[in-house]
Each structure stands twice: as structure tokens, then as C-alpha cells.
Amino acid sequence: MKPILLQGHERSITQIKYNREGDLLFSSAKDKKPNVWFSINGERLGTYNGHNGAVWCIDIDWDTINFMSGSADNTCKIWDARTGQVKNNFETKNPVRSCGFSYSGNLAMYTTDSTLRENCYIIVRDLRLSEQDSPVHLIDVTALKFPKITSSIWGSLEDTLITGHESGEIMLWDFRKTLNEPSYKTRPHTKQVMDLQKDKDSTCVISAAKDFNSKLFDLENLKELKCYKTEKPVNSAAISPIKDHVLIGGGQEAVDAALYSKSGKFEACFYHLIFEEEFAKVRDHFGPINYVAFHPDGKSYSSAGEDGFVRVHYFDQSYFDYDVL
């Protein structure tokens, strides 16, 4: 399984996302310029130029018409995915940490960091309105005495939002109810939640955290279903769209690997979704894996690392033949 190496970023990768068809792969890094690639051969299609800081999060809508990016330059931008022109530029008082399009693509959600002077917010905007209009929803997370949001994802359709926090908490916010408090709140992790991803049917959500665990939850009530234990901090986890497999990426920070151990455990690990057992590893990155994503057809996956490379892996036939007896 020889990977296709995508070299287009000067600094470490922060996030990667496939579009719905899977023919395009979008990537963001700490070098200010999100990229878009052809996933079939790794050819770079273009860049989105306009940010002045590290780009922490990206998303692409259902039709591959709008592209969204949140940056440390205190802006969240909506781009024309095809031309690279900025459609909306939403300014914030803090770096934008996570973002996402709703199911229809009409609503854009983004969250901001908290600093000494400014609070952490959840902001939801309707893209059918003008840029100057007020947000549809604005939740002051810090004022509600909750920790900073480190990852977030839309829940069922456009009614709910799931957020992962610095303290290891995961919360579900229902926009149909009062927003003074989350509808469901749980603390499954002891350290920071790094990533949240849904399965293809939007029935489950998987978390990745620095406490060496990745967990599977019911999307409607955050009931914990499974726990995948690893030997390293987990930065990202994804669920296969065609098999009962979970892909987990992470690794020790470079300084920790140098000081405390011979191996940084930078491999991508495959676990069985039901039995919670690891059955395969792929070693190829030279640093921690920051994000992993399955292709929508389930026949390949991509991993993005601290080393600044994105690797696209197409599975061999042996992967499809493998089954737990």
C-alpha cells in the first residue's frame, strides 16, 4: 500500500476534508494557504489565498460550491470553492478554532478561542443573509462557565451542534430549545478533545482526545457506545463508510518523543468498530498525525501530519478480504 505524497504546505497540517464525491481533497495548515487536490493522483488544483495566520479548520459544503476556513488571523472566510474568491469575511475578536457547514449548506457555524480579555463563542450564520446581519445563534460559552471549545461538528441536520472542550467534556446544543445550557453534557475524557467526526449515516460520532482514548457516541444523546484505547495521544479518528473499522491517528509531541521514549508512535492504527480491537498499523509519517479521513467510497484514506505532508493511501485487496471471524 504505497501512499501518494501531497507536498504543498510549508508547515504542519491542521485539517483535511474530502468533498462529498471524494474527487477533491482540501487541506489546511499553519502556513496561511488552504489547498485543494485531486484525490485520485495527488495533483494540486489550487490554493485559497487571503488569510494572514495559521488556518485551524476547514469545511466544504454538500455541492462543493462553498469552502469555509477559520484562521488565527481572527477571521472565518466563505470562499467560492471553484474560483477561490472570498464571498464572506466574518471577523471575530479571537482565533477561529473550528467550523462547519450545516446539512443544507445554508448555515455556517464557527467557534472562537477564549483569551484573557475575550470569551469563547459559538456563532451560527445564515449565508442567505448579508454579511452585516446579526448571527442566527450566538452562545457565550465562557459566560456559561464552560471550558474553551477545541472541536465541533453539526449533529442531526441543522438542529443540533456537538462541541468538544479543553477539559475533555463533550456537549450537545439543541437550537430548538433554550441555549442557556447544553441539552446533554458528558465528560468521557480527562484531557483535551482534539477531533469529532460522524459516520456516513449521521447516527454516531467518534471523538479523539489527548488522554490516549477514542470513543464512540450516539449522536442524539451522547450515550457512550465504545472505547478504543491506544498507547499515544489521539489527534483524530474516523469511521469507515463501508466496513466496521475505525481509523485513529496521533502520536507524542516531538519534544516528548525525544525526551521520554524511543518511538513517537506516529502510525495510523485500525480498530474494529464493534470489538474495539486493533488489527493493523500503517507507519509512514515522521511526526504526529494531526488528522485522518476516509474517502467517501471507503477504498482509501488520507492522513495529515506534523511533518507537513498529506499521504493518500489506496487499500490493497487484502484489506477488503480481511474479516473478523
Side-chain angles (χ1 to χ4, degrees):
M1 191 168 67
K2 188 177 179 181
I4 301 171
L5 190 65
L6 311 188
Q7 296 176 277
H9 291 287
E10 298 170 356
R11 297 186 63 195
S12 57
I13 314 293
T14 54
Q15 204 167 31
I16 53 175
K17 289 278 179 77
Y18 283 99
N19 66 340
R20 177 169 60 98
E21 292 83 8
D23 59 328
L24 299 178
L25 179 65
F26 296 81
S27 63
S28 65
K30 295 178 182 177
D31 63 0
K32 307 188 292 190
K33 295 180 181 179
N35 289 356
V36 56
W37 316 76
F38 287 114
S39 64
I40 187 83
N41 57 10
E43 180 185 346
R44 182 159 66 170
L45 184 56
T47 61
Y48 296 90
N49 302 322
H51 281 298
N52 292 313
V55 181
W56 292 118
C57 54
I58 53 173
D59 199 20
I60 183 72
D61 71 358
W62 186 257
D63 299 319
T64 320
I65 292 175
N66 293 326
F67 173 69
M68 184 181 191
S69 59
S71 172
D73 64 4
N74 296 4
T75 63
C76 179
K77 297 183 188 292
I78 309 293
W79 313 72
D80 186 315
R82 300 172 189 184
T83 65
Q85 299 298 312
V86 177
K87 289 184 173 182
N88 300 92
N89 183 43
F90 300 119
E91 295 186 359
T92 63
K93 295 181 179 179
N94 275 342
V96 177
R97 181 60 57 174
S98 62
C99 66
F101 285 108
S102 65
Y103 186 78
S104 68
N106 291 326
L107 299 180
M109 167 275 300
Y110 53 98
T111 68
T112 63
D113 281 349
S114 60
T115 55
L116 291 174
R117 295 184 178 179
E118 299 296 338
N119 291 354
C120 170
Y121 286 96
I122 299 172
I123 304 166
V124 179
R125 290 186 179 272
D126 193 328
L127 300 181
R128 294 165 293 189
L129 305 177
S130 79
E131 195 174 308
Q132 286 72 35
D133 285 338
S134 299
V136 179
H137 302 292
L138 181 66
I139 305 172
D140 190 337
V141 177
T142 307
L144 296 173
K145 301 290 191 291
F146 294 131
K148 180 182 82 173
I149 293 173
T150 51
S151 59
S152 63
I153 191 169
W154 283 96
S156 57
L157 299 181
E158 306 186 348
D159 298 325
T160 60
L161 185 70
I162 299 171
T163 55
H165 295 255
E166 200 174 30
S167 61
E169 289 178 289
I170 296 177
M171 303 179 190
L172 187 145
W173 306 81
D174 194 330
F175 295 129
R176 297 165 294 187
K177 302 177 182 177
T178 176
L179 296 178
N180 293 330
E181 60 180 26
S183 299
Y184 296 96
K185 183 175 69 167
T186 180
R187 190 162 185 248
H189 298 288
T190 56
K191 294 184 180 178
Q192 178 176 334
V193 178
M194 299 299 295
D195 183 33
L196 295 168
Q197 292 193 41
K198 291 186 290 187
D199 66 343
K200 71 176 177 62
D201 298 321
S202 292
T203 58
C204 299
V205 60
I206 193 166
S207 65
K210 287 287 189 185
D211 65 357
F212 296 21
N213 291 325
S214 177
K215 297 189 177 185
L216 188 71
F217 303 92
D218 188 300
L219 193 75
E220 295 298 325
N221 55 22
L222 297 185
K223 179 184 176 183
E224 186 176 322
L225 304 174
K226 298 290 177 182
C227 177
Y228 311 98
K229 297 180 181 179
T230 73
E231 300 174 347
K232 61 189 178 185
V234 183
N235 291 333
S236 184
I239 303 171
S240 170
I242 59 171
K243 295 179 85 70
D244 289 333
H245 294 168
V246 168
L247 171 62
I248 290 175
Q252 290 180 299
E253 299 293 336
V255 62
D256 295 332
L259 290 174
Y260 304 119
S261 67
K262 296 178 182 178
S263 170
K265 303 187 185 301
F266 303 142
E267 57 268 336
C269 301
F270 287 83
Y271 284 74
H272 195 279
L273 182 77
I274 310 300
F275 302 123
E276 306 175 8
E277 293 178 355
E278 181 185 321
F279 64 86
K281 286 182 179 178
V282 179
R283 294 184 176 92
D284 55 1
H285 282 281
F286 302 111
I289 296 174
N290 290 341
Y291 209 84
V292 293
F294 273 103
H295 191 285
D297 68 5
K299 296 179 180 177
S300 64
Y301 81 92
S302 295
S303 59
E306 191 74 18
D307 52 14
F309 300 131
V310 179
R311 286 172 163 81
V312 181
H313 301 77
Y314 281 87
F315 292 118
D316 298 331
Q317 186 58 41
S318 58
Y319 170 81
F320 302 105
D321 295 339
Y322 173 79
D323 198 6
V324 177
L325 298 177

